[in-house]
Structure formats: C-alpha cells, structure tokens
Amino acid sequence: MNAAACAMTRARDALTDLRPKPDDITADALEGLSRDPKTLPSKYFYDAEGSRLFEAITHLPEYYLTRTELALLEQRLPSIAQAIGPGAHVVEYGSGSGRKTELLLEHLHAPVAYTPVEISRTAVVQATARLSEHFPAIEMLPVCADFTRPLDLPESARPAQRTVMFFPGSTLGNFTDEAAQALLDGMRQTMGPGGCALVGIDLDKEPALIEAAYNDAAGITAAFTLNLLARLNREIGSDFDLDAFAHRAVYVRERLRIETFLVSQRAQTVQVGGRRFDFAQGEAMQVEYSHKYTDARFAQLAARAGLKVTHGWNDARDWFGLRLLQPL
C-alpha cells in the first residue's frame, strides 16, 4: 500500500462519523418548506458533488473570496501564528479541501492535533488523508458531523496548550445573525477560557463585485445550488424537477447580505417526505444567506456571543478580513 492509500486508511479509521441521517434531512426539509416563504437549509449543499462544485467555484474569476483570503493568510500568517502561540489543537468547522488549513498548520508552532468537522464524509476523509501526509507529527482527529449542532470533540493524545477554532471562508456569513451568534457562542464553549477563534469575514464593498461572485458566467454556482435538490431527491426520495427551478442571487445592501433563491419556473407540486408542496410560477425559495460585515457589526455580533476581537488583518483592498476572537 502506498503512502497516500495508508493516509486515507488512517483517516477513515480515526473518523468520528456523526453525519445527519435521512430522517434528520427530511425533518429539516419539511420544516423549511412549511414556512412562508419556503426555505431549504444550505448546510445540505455539501454532499460529495456539492463539495466538488464548491471547490470549482473557488477557482472562478468572479469568486474573489477564496483567492483573497488565501493571499491574506500567506501574507499575515507569521503574525497570526505569533498571536495564537504554540501547542495548539486546531478545530476547523467546514474544512472543505483543506488548502487554508495547510497554510495555517505550516506556520503554527508545534501544533499537537487537528480536528476537521465537516458534513461531507468524502471531503473530510480526503482532506485529512492529504494533510496527514504533510504533517505526520500532528494527530488527525476528523469528525463527520453537522457543526451547527452540539457535539463532543475527540481529545488529542498530547495535551494542547490552547484550542483554536478555525472558521475561514466567511462561512459564518451563511447564518442569520441569531444563528451566527449561537455558533460563535458554541465555539466559545468549545475553545474554553484560554482558547481563541480565527474567523474569516467577507467585508462590505461594491454590490456589483459581490453579486458577480454568486452569479458566475459559467453557471457553476447555479449548478451548486440546484445540486441541493438533487441530493434531496437521492437521499430522501423527494421529486424536485431540477429543470423547473432557477438560481438567483442578489445583494440586499440594507441587510448587508447576498440572498440566494431557487425560483420556480412554473406552477408545480413537489413531494417531500410523503407531503406535497405547491409552488407558484415565479415563487422564490430561499436557500442561502451570505452576510457581509463591517468592523462594528462583527464586533457587536462577537460581543453578544461572549467574545472580543483581539487582532484583525485585512487584505490591501479591504475586501476580506481575518479576526482573532477570545472570550470576554
């Protein structure tokens, strides 16, 4: 067995698998579809195909977020590592491909363990296997789970000097303010009084620039959004007609957020979990928010979760920021 295969096997063997079950997905879908207006939870975007499509999105010319954050990390990581300190157990929510994680682990001083928490089993196994090859001295403790729900994290064999929550990519912006506050509060409890969180935030800027990032010319973002319906059809037996819905994303400046919808192209009825839901032609079903932040707004959100911003780093154009948070 070659090194890559061994790493993949180790990642599978160490995996804590707490993936949502079909009954959980059905319950979440039914709850959202029963609202007015209808919604579906964006956390279910990330099956294997959704993870593949999102990785493709990060390379699109319109999608500035990933390349801007990567460049910011590369430039500022010595300062970030100094602020975090040695002997960290890094816990990452929504780890994805692990490109940003690799940069962080390379620059931290003697990190003892890495725990990615990712809802896509394929993504978490592949990313952890690749990282374990590059960082054999760091204990890999992957968890396949919905990080928005309470969970017990695995303990590292070597004691860590502090727990570091790593939440890049402006994923926090996908939550309502209430849910984002609850998530940050959960991070605070997980990290403990001596821990910290490194959070990526997309900053408020020219609306046309933001909207283009969520409406790419190649249609990859539309395919990513529609894949949510394909997943529901496959995993819980719903009968969404993907050709009967269209992707739409708009930046609502007064709410500082992109609002993403799947819009019904005709009057239709969809069956989900033994129930029928009618859609009117032109009816918009909300599937994702992507909040953008000002410094004041983010500091207020953190404070409501019992956290304070102790360090901040922006790219040269002030498009994207990284913030280090510690308990109040």
Side-chain angles (χ1 to χ4, degrees), residues 3 6-7 10 102 105-106 110-114 127-141 157-158:
C6 286
R10 288 196 301 272
E102 187 170 349
L105 294 177
E106 280 177 351
V112 300
Y114 171 61
T128 309
R130 183 173 61 81
L131 289 169
S132 67
E133 288 189 77
H134 289 281
F135 304 101
I138 300 175
E139 186 178 8
M140 298 287 163
L141 300 167
R158 290 180 291 159

Side-chain angles (χ1 to χ4, degrees), residues 18-20 28 43-44 117-119 144-151:
L18 302 172
R19 279 174 295 173
D28 286 344
K43 65 186 179 183
Y44 294 126
V117 184
E118 169 64 63
I119 202 167
C144 183
D146 173 4
F147 60 74
T148 66
R149 298 182 178 181
L151 55 92

Side-chain angles (χ1 to χ4, degrees), residues 59-255:
H59 297 282
L60 292 169
E62 300 96 334
Y63 197 79
Y64 62 85
L65 290 88
T66 301
R67 63 175 176 271
T68 304
E69 186 177 29
L70 280 168
L72 177 59
L73 278 168
E74 289 173 346
Q75 181 182 16
R76 298 294 193 173
L77 264 171
S79 174
I80 292 170
Q82 183 177 11
I84 289 174
H89 179 174
V90 177
V91 179
E92 182 176 7
Y93 286 175
S95 56
S97 68
R99 284 185 290 160
K100 298 164 192 171
T101 316
E102 187 170 349
L103 283 171
L104 180 64
L105 294 177
E106 280 177 351
H107 284 81
L108 290 180
H109 178 61
V112 300
Y114 171 61
T115 296
V117 184
E118 169 64 63
I119 202 167
S120 169
R121 187 181 192 279
T122 300
V124 75
V125 168
Q126 290 179 348
T128 309
R130 183 173 61 81
L131 289 169
S132 67
E133 288 189 77
H134 289 281
F135 304 101
I138 300 175
E139 186 178 8
M140 298 287 163
L141 300 167
V143 175
C144 183
D146 173 4
F147 60 74
T148 66
R149 298 182 178 181
L151 55 92
D152 292 324
L153 295 174
E155 293 188 10
S156 58
R158 290 180 291 159
Q161 294 191 36
R162 77 187 317 187
T163 298
V164 179
M165 314 301 294
F166 185 41
F167 201 40
S170 196
T171 306
L172 186 71
N174 296 143
F175 298 86
T176 64
D177 282 351
E178 181 180 330
Q181 179 183 330
L183 185 60
L184 289 173
D185 182 66
M187 286 187 184
R188 178 183 56 80
Q189 295 178 54
T190 299
M191 73 174 72
C196 63
L198 182 63
V199 180
I201 55 173
D202 195 20
L203 301 172
D204 182 38
K205 63 184 76 65
E206 172 59 39
L209 178 67
I210 296 173
E211 282 200 353
Y214 297 86
N215 295 281
D216 62 278
I220 306 300
T221 308
F224 170 75
T225 307
L226 286 162
N227 182 66
L228 173 61
L229 304 185
R231 178 181 184 179
L232 295 180
N233 287 351
R234 184 180 66 254
E235 296 191 15
I236 66 173
S238 58
D239 63 354
F240 286 100
D241 179 355
L242 273 63
D243 293 330
F245 289 88
H247 164 91
R248 186 177 79 200
V250 294
Y251 188 48
V252 183
R253 191 66 180 270
E254 59 268 27
R255 292 194 283 271

